Amino acid sequence: MNPQVNSQINAQDQSAATPVRAKRSRRRRVVGGALAAALLGAATIGAVSATAAPSDAAAASAPAEPVTVGKGLTRTTNHLTLAAATKAAQATLDAAKKAGRNVSVAVVDRDGNTLVQLRGDGAGPQSYESAARKAYTAVSWGAPTSELVGRLSDAPTLKDIPGTLFLAGGVPVRAAGAPVAGIGVGGAPSGALDEQFAQAGADALSE
């Protein structure tokens, strides 16, 4: 081929390629610019989030202001002390031991929460729970459980109330005319004996 012709063809190829390279170069600049803007935006958002996070956490962890209840909206109730409950429980076990019986005893407060619960040597495993339920029943109704058994004939569904046991062996403890605790006993051959021992514990608190 003629060298002059060949030179012209090469020149044409180069001139045709120049716009393509220019377009590619502009596209790369646009893409690069967009990517840089995106990275800058992400960094800015991260910085703002990092700055805001501590204040948000501080607001979330700020303690709520305590509320003061207005006058006339509360009442004061009496509760048996732990020392008194322990004294009653021990007096109950002593009475049972003197009679040659192995029992468990439970003393609960006005709200039915257990203060003291003791299982005497040799007492059966069922006696522990029955003592607690009798004590809860006695303080809930403010009457000996032997008396409450008689109410089942008129209201048989009473026995379905959770935590109660309508068997003799529980007595309430009173102060200022209102029940403040309950003493329950389980494990003796009869409910009458259980209640006798529970009453001995209650009597110890009047000494």
Side-chain angles (χ1 to χ4, degrees):
M1 183 180 292
N2 190 321
Q4 184 176 359
V5 173
N6 188 32
S7 175
Q8 292 176 351
I9 293 174
N10 291 336
Q12 291 175 356
D13 293 341
Q14 291 176 359
S15 63
T18 300
V20 174
R21 285 195 295 270
K23 290 179 180 178
R24 290 177 179 172
S25 178
R26 284 196 298 273
R27 188 178 298 115
R28 288 172 183 168
R29 286 198 299 272
V30 170
V31 172
L35 180 60
L39 293 175
L40 180 60
T44 302
I45 293 173
V48 172
S49 300
T51 303
S55 61
D56 292 344
S61 62
E65 291 294 327
V67 176
T68 301
V69 177
K71 294 182 178 179
L73 299 179
T74 62
R75 65 176 182 174
T76 302
T77 58
N78 292 321
H79 289 261
L80 202 64
T81 66
L82 179 59
T86 303
K87 179 180 180 180
Q90 190 59 57
T92 299
L93 288 185
D94 290 344
K97 184 177 180 180
K98 186 176 181 179
R101 303 301 180 182
N102 302 317
V103 301
S104 291
V105 56
V107 182
V108 303
D109 66 11
R110 181 64 187 95
D111 299 323
N113 300 311
T114 302
L115 290 171
V116 177
Q117 190 162 9
L118 301 174
R119 179 181 174 186
D121 295 334
Q126 82 288 350
S127 65
Y128 198 76
E129 182 178 354
S130 67
R133 293 173 64 183
K134 289 177 183 179
Y136 178 82
T137 306
V139 75
S140 296
W141 276 270
T145 52
S146 59
E147 177 185 323
L148 296 173
V149 172
R151 301 184 187 181
L152 292 179
S153 58
D154 297 326
T157 56
L158 284 176
K159 67 180 184 302
D160 299 328
I161 297 176
T164 60
L165 185 60
F166 287 84
L167 295 176
V171 298
V173 176
R174 296 178 175 275
V180 295
I183 302 175
V185 175
S190 69
L193 280 174
D194 284 336
E195 199 156 305
Q196 176 183 321
F197 302 145
Q199 188 61 54
D203 292 342
L205 297 178
S206 63
E207 297 174 356

